[in-house]
Amino acid sequence: MTAQGRIVWVSGPAVRADGMADAKMYETVTVGDSKLVGEVIRLTGDVAFIPVYESNSGLKPGGQVIGTGNQLSV
């Protein structure tokens, strides 16, 4: 099952998203309308802490976060 959540907090390159109970540690996710690449580095209940690896200008609470089911790779 693919994790799908919503952004609840943005600070610099860090994003917190809720509704991510199906996410796995170190799973890559797409963040916001621009589908920026991020990685789940902490899970607390259904809240995921995600550093975004691209410029995250324009991200705001309510944006969609979707898990890819894969870990970060080159």
Side-chain angles (χ1 to χ4, degrees):
M1 184 172 236
T2 303
Q4 294 186 15
R6 294 277 174 198
I7 298 170
V8 293
W9 175 83
V10 178
S11 180
V15 171
R16 192 178 308 153
D18 66 1
M20 299 293 291
D22 293 327
K24 308 261 187 294
M25 286 293 295
Y26 308 113
E27 177 179 0
T28 56
V29 294
T30 59
V31 181
D33 294 335
S34 299
K35 302 201 181 309
L36 303 175
V37 175
E39 180 182 17
V40 175
I41 62 166
R42 182 174 50 203
L43 283 169
T44 305
D46 72 338
V47 178
F49 185 79
I50 303 162
V52 175
Y53 297 128
E54 301 179 59
S55 172
N56 66 353
S57 61
L59 288 183
K60 59 186 180 224
Q64 192 170 31
V65 178
I66 300 174
T68 64
N70 299 314
Q71 292 186 344
L72 188 63
S73 63
V74 182

